[in-house]
Amino acid sequence: MDSVEPAGKVSPCIEVVEACGEWFVRVVEDDQELTRSFELESFALAFAEGQRMRLGLADFKRL
């Protein structure tokens, strides 16, 4: 897992993945993890982009 820093701290990241006809967005921030599901890819990407901007990240990962 490339989002793990030394001393076990996890850096913020956003991942988008399609599985079984649904789109999932996973947001990792501090000690919390949130996963949301969407029926449409465009909605998932819009949510991921909003979270990317909120967290100040350069990009998000499409798995």
Side-chain angles (χ1 to χ4, degrees):
M1 177 186 283
D2 61 354
S3 62
V4 176
E5 296 176 350
K9 183 174 178 168
V10 177
S11 62
C13 70
I14 301 167
E15 300 169 338
V16 178
V17 63
E18 187 272 333
C20 300
E22 283 188 83
W23 290 87
F24 296 91
V25 179
R26 178 177 174 247
V27 180
V28 177
E29 175 184 12
D30 299 324
D31 292 335
Q32 298 182 355
E33 177 182 321
L34 169 72
T35 302
R36 296 261 173 107
S37 64
F38 300 88
E39 290 184 16
L40 299 175
E41 177 185 19
S42 60
F43 287 8
L45 294 177
F47 178 75
E49 180 64 18
Q51 294 300 301
R52 182 199 67 78
M53 291 187 323
R54 181 181 69 81
L55 293 173
L57 300 175
D59 59 3
F60 57 85
K61 297 177 188 174
R62 290 187 67 158
L63 305 176

